[in-house]
Structures are given as structure tokens and as C-alpha cells.
Amino acid sequence: MPPLMHGTLPMTARLEPWMESLVQDPELCKELLSDYGSPLNVHDYSSMARNVAELRDAAAVHDIDFQIYLARKANKTLGAIDKAVAEGCGVDVASFNELDQCLRRGVSPESLIVTAAVKSRALLKLAVENDVVLSLDNTDEVMDLLELTTSDGTPVPVALRLASSNAAIAPTRFGLSAQQWLDFFAQIHSPEVFSIVGVHFHLNGYSGEQRALVLQESLEFADALAQLGHKVKFVDMGGGIPMSYLDDSQQWSGFWEALAEVPEGDESLTWKSDRLGATGPQASTALYPYHQELIRGPWLEKILIARGADGSQTVGQMLNARGIQLRCEPGRSLLDGCGLTLSEVAFTKERNDGVSLVGLHMNRTQCRSTAADFLVDPILIKASGRHANDRSPYSGFLVGAYCIEEELILRRRFEFPQGVAKGDVVAFPNTGGYLMHIIESASHQLPLAKNVVLDGANASLDDIDQVGAGH
Ligand SMILES: *Cc1c(COP(=O)(O)O)cnc(C)c1O
């Protein structure tokens, strides 16, 4: 059966079995929306086990010591933490509240790492009190930390965030170069306050080649730290492990080819012929690759078999030779398959120039990342009692609740071969990583979407939405 909703040029979502069952059950979707409001973030974390296993299997082939930390900023539910811990993973936290909630949830301190870009004194203090490894970004932060510590206490476990000096790697605001760190630690008065247990980096983008290069640089840095008497136990390569939302590479590349040909102002593919970041100065960061060939395990495998400049050892062998654990902090790719967002159709109407619109009980911060658009087709669930047999094909744009002309939920045009009506449900697949949470806002005093975990047909509110969450 052809889908009830698809992009004018389709981008067909890869669905997990639990998502298939849900979208085939209009009554359940309606009931969930009436119980919890629209939109609603629905979770089923079972896919995380597969995602973890794919990475671990690749690491096991090379017999490396390997550990995964879920990047919590990608999804705020406490259920995601529980699942990560149940799968033997740790958690990477980026703020005081993220850390506090994990500790209160019972995550053990050694399974946590603080990678916040800017660290409040309260966050530093909480980490120190609990012996949680801090990934240090800059020397002012170290000075804040020194004020909290005493030289007679146990040393504070820290990782140094490395900004690569390799010319092949784009400049980064994060971390310091190896030389900057070494110079700094040579001149501070009480080095025994710290125990440098790790080297950490996180790169923009998804390049395995770049990560192989910076992993080698990190190991050289670890060697230099060892000369100064520090025992580096791990190198953490951060996140950016690829996943794929779309199975069909043709849909992906075909869309971009077609969009490039669309005349200025032609709205047949996108709102106001939006190029979705494909051109202009922001092109590389505005675009997220919703289709990727090499994901998780096979991607990691390529990094581990990459060889150094002299060709003598692979990255996997270099890690093993030093007895150093490899860590990673996937957010998106660990949450692949874990979330879906339901939304109710509020209205259909024509823009005053005749362009068709579908209004949703939702705003655009509730299914969006920092990329220009979420390039995955939603699924229409025919759920309205009214107009059930009285529908004609429809083609238009999804608009949302903010009082802004550019308030589009998605910026592509969509086709509804059997129509669409108020009361129908639109499901956005695979939103668990970033899409539902990273920029959500309560602007206009509209409440944030609720988060539930689904177990068969039973939903329960995640503890992040319980009054006094985590306290
Ligand atoms: C955002 C972030 C991650 C997660 O990145 P993904 O692309 O979701 O895998 C991991 N580590 C750090 C330090 C980050 O800032």
C-alpha cells in the first residue's frame, strides 16, 4: 500500500518493529495524545541494545578494551539513562542537572564523565565530591577547579580535552592543543591535585579517517603525559558515530539533485524554494546526512584498522600496546530507533495565495536539531472520525504553533494521496536522538511535550516529566 503521506520527493524512514505497530494503531495514537497532549514523545529503548552490540562486536574483533558512554544531551529522558546502564554503558553529561540526575538515578560515578563545554562551580564541585571524571576544556576552568580542591585530598580524576594540531582537522573551540596543556601543567604549583586519567576529543562531522588521525595524536599525547608521571587509562573519541535514517541512497541523492534545479521561488519541493543549507557559508554544518552508508560497527572497524604514517601498527594495535581503553560517547547513533513523536492535525487551510497548509498541535522546536531540516518523511495516521470517506488528494506544508511566518515544522512539501483532515495524527519517526529535545522551547508559554515509554500498548510518563524530576 502506498504511504498516506510522503515528501513530494519521498524520503522513506527506516522503522523499528515497535514503530510499525504503533502507527498501525490509530486508536492507541489518539488515546496517547488525548492522555498526554500533543505533541508527545514516545520511547521504546529496545533498539539501544542492538546499537551497543554493533559497536562492541567491532571492538571485540580487535580485542581492545572498549567502553561506550551515552551522550545524554541527545535525549533528556531518565529511561534512556536506565537503558544505557542496563546495557553496561556509562553516561556523558553536559551540565549540573544532567550529572545530578544521573547520580540520583544511581549511576555509579565511574560510569560518568562530565564533558560540559562551560562548567559552573556547582558542577565542578558536584563532580569532585563524587569522584566523577571531568573532561577539562581550558585553563581558567582548571583554576576554578583548583579553588575547590586541596592538595591533601584524593587527586581529582580528569581527562584533558585535546584540540587537534593536525592541519587536516578543522579548527575547534573545544579543548587545547597538546602543547598548551603540557606547558600549563609544567607551570602549575600543585600537579598532585589532579590525576590525569584520560585524553578526550570530540570532532564535528562523522569522518572515521579524521578520528583515526586524532586517536593517534591522542596516544602520542598520552605518551608525553606518561613521561611526566601521569597514567592515562583511556582515550575518549567523543561522539559523531554515524547512523542512517533512510535506507534508500537514491532518494537521498536524488532529492539534492532535484532541489538544485528548482527555480527561485518555486515551492514544488520546499517552502519558498529553501535550499536547506545546501549552498552558502553554513553549508557543511547546516546539512545532516540522513542517509549514511557506513554506520556504527563497520565505521568503527575502519578506524581500528587504520594504520599510522609508518604503516607498522593499526590504531587497534596502538591502543593495545599501551593498555589504553578506547571510549566513545555516541548520542544520536545509540538512540537510533528509540523514539518517535506523535502530533495531532489541528487544521487544514489555504494560504491566502492558495498554497495548502496542514496545521499541527506542535511547534518547530519539537522536531528539530541544529541542521536546516529533518529530512525524513512523517507517517500519516488516519484517525479523524470526520471526513473519513470524503477526502481528496492534498499537497502542502506542515505549519506549527509559533506566531511566526516561517513557522514550518518541516520545510519540504508533502503529498497526502488520500487527503488529510483535522484530528488525524502525524508521526515523526526516529526522533529520539536530538530531534525531540535539543532545542525544544516553551516559548509562547506553550508547555513542553511530554515523554512516555511505551511497553506494548501501555504508556507511562518518564520520570523527567514527573513533578520535581530527579529531586
Ligand atoms: C554532542 C557530543 C557528543 C554526542 O555526539 P553525537 O553526534 O550525538 O554522537 C559526544 N561527546 C561530546 C563531547 C559532545 O559534545
Side-chain angles (χ1 to χ4, degrees):
M1 213 178 69
L4 298 176
M5 171 178 188
H6 59 83
T8 303
L9 286 182
M11 295 214 191
T12 312
R14 194 184 59 68
L15 298 179
E16 302 291 341
W18 73 268
M19 297 177 182
E20 304 257 16
S21 311
L22 177 60
V23 301
Q24 281 161 22
D25 191 341
E27 275 77 45
L28 178 58
C29 292
K30 288 295 272 191
E31 187 186 308
L32 290 171
L33 287 171
S34 100
D35 288 353
Y36 297 100
S38 172
L40 176 67
N41 297 322
V42 183
H43 296 82
D44 176 325
Y45 305 104
S46 49
S47 307
M48 199 188 291
R50 170 205 61 205
N51 302 337
V52 165
E54 287 179 21
L55 289 168
R56 287 207 181 123
D57 289 350
V61 169
H62 298 275
D63 209 22
I64 58 165
D65 184 3
F66 179 66
Q67 187 53 280
I68 302 169
Y69 289 70
L70 170 67
R72 200 187 156 202
K73 71 169 194 271
N75 184 290
K76 72 182 182 185
T77 60
L78 302 189
I81 299 173
D82 295 345
K83 180 62 174 172
V85 170
E87 292 300 325
C89 299
V91 186
D92 155 29
V93 296
S95 71
F96 176 90
N97 283 339
E98 283 193 3
L99 175 58
D100 192 40
Q101 289 163 6
C102 283
L103 290 167
R104 287 170 192 271
R105 199 73 178 175
V107 183
S108 71
E110 60 272 24
S111 298
L112 290 164
I113 181 165
V114 177
T115 65
V118 177
K119 300 178 187 69
S120 67
R121 288 180 180 81
L123 169 59
L124 293 171
K125 188 158 176 284
L126 186 64
V128 169
E129 283 167 359
N130 288 280
D131 244 357
V132 174
V133 174
L134 283 155
S135 169
L136 299 177
D137 176 78
N138 63 76
T139 58
D140 282 329
E141 187 173 273
V142 183
M143 298 322 278
D144 279 347
L145 189 54
L146 275 171
E147 283 173 21
L148 289 171
T149 53
T150 50
S151 45
D152 52 351
T154 39
V156 178
V158 297
L160 302 182
R161 187 144 174 180
L162 178 66
S164 175
S165 303
N166 192 314
I169 311 295
T172 173
R173 62 162 278 205
F174 295 111
L176 295 174
S177 69
Q179 198 55 54
Q180 285 173 307
W181 280 125
L182 292 169
D183 290 347
F184 174 75
F185 276 98
Q187 51 105 66
I188 61 166
H189 293 304
S190 37
E192 68 285 357
V193 172
F194 300 107
S195 152
I196 301 175
V197 294
V199 173
H200 177 228
F201 67 89
H202 169 73
L203 303 181
N204 233 337
Y206 305 90
S207 162
E209 290 77 15
Q210 292 193 355
R211 281 164 179 81
L213 288 174
V214 184
L215 268 174
Q216 292 171 65
E217 189 178 347
S218 299
L219 291 172
E220 285 160 22
F221 183 30
D223 292 344
L225 289 165
Q227 301 244 301
L228 300 176
H230 297 283
K231 179 76 194 89
V232 172
K233 292 188 281 195
F234 68 84
V235 171
D236 184 334
M237 65 172 188
I241 295 174
M243 61 168 278
S244 199
Y245 293 82
L246 314 171
D247 281 333
D248 188 338
S249 66
Q250 280 302 313
Q251 286 184 345
W252 178 246
S253 53
F255 172 79
W256 293 105
E257 285 156 20
L259 186 61
E261 302 296 317
V262 165
E264 207 51 41
D266 178 322
E267 296 192 286
S268 55
L269 290 183
T270 59
W271 178 260
K272 298 179 183 168
S273 63
D274 192 333
R275 307 295 165 180
L276 303 178
T279 56
Q282 303 297 321
S284 61
T285 49
L287 268 175
Y288 178 82
Y290 289 93
H291 172 79
Q292 302 194 71
E293 291 295 336
L294 217 52
I295 67 169
R296 289 188 288 266
W299 177 90
L300 178 60
E301 164 75 11
K302 278 194 81 172
I303 293 174
L304 295 175
I305 61 172
R307 285 182 183 272
D310 69 2
S312 65
Q313 275 190 322
T314 64
V315 167
Q317 289 163 343
M318 292 176 209
L319 286 161
N320 281 339
R322 292 168 175 82
I324 285 183
Q325 180 181 62
L326 177 64
R327 295 186 181 179
C328 60
E329 301 160 347
R332 197 189 288 267
S333 60
L334 218 55
L335 291 155
D336 183 8
C338 294
L340 171 151
T341 300
L342 292 177
S343 174
E344 185 188 343
V345 175
F347 61 77
T348 57
K349 69 181 239 183
E350 288 188 352
R351 202 167 69 183
N352 62 347
D353 63 353
V355 171
S356 297
L357 305 175
V358 178
L360 297 183
H361 286 289
M362 172 175 186
N363 71 67
R364 69 173 144 153
T365 70
Q366 294 175 313
C367 181
R368 184 142 304 215
S369 68
T370 53
D373 202 8
F374 180 46
L375 296 172
V376 176
D377 287 357
I379 293 162
L380 181 70
I381 300 149
K382 259 205 233 174
S384 77
R386 305 185 330 156
H387 314 297
N389 303 310
D390 161 31
R391 290 167 173 245
S392 40
Y394 198 82
S395 167
F397 294 97
L398 300 180
V399 294
Y402 285 170
C403 306
I404 296 168
E405 277 295 344
E406 291 294 309
E407 167 72 350
L408 277 290
I409 302 293
L410 301 177
R411 301 190 67 87
R412 281 185 305 139
R413 175 186 282 274
F414 291 95
E415 307 299 323
F416 303 85
Q418 298 183 40
V420 53
K422 166 178 152 66
D424 283 348
V425 175
V426 172
F428 298 83
N430 216 354
T431 51
Y434 296 108
L435 279 307
M436 52 175 69
H437 292 149
I438 193 73
I439 63 157
E440 68 171 344
S441 131
S443 180
H444 301 37
Q445 298 306 306
L446 288 161
L448 298 180
K450 292 283 191 294
N451 295 277
V452 293
V453 58
L454 195 64
D455 179 8
N458 295 317
S460 51
L461 203 57
D462 184 85
D463 283 340
I464 198 71
D465 293 331
Q466 305 285 4
V467 180
H471 291 274

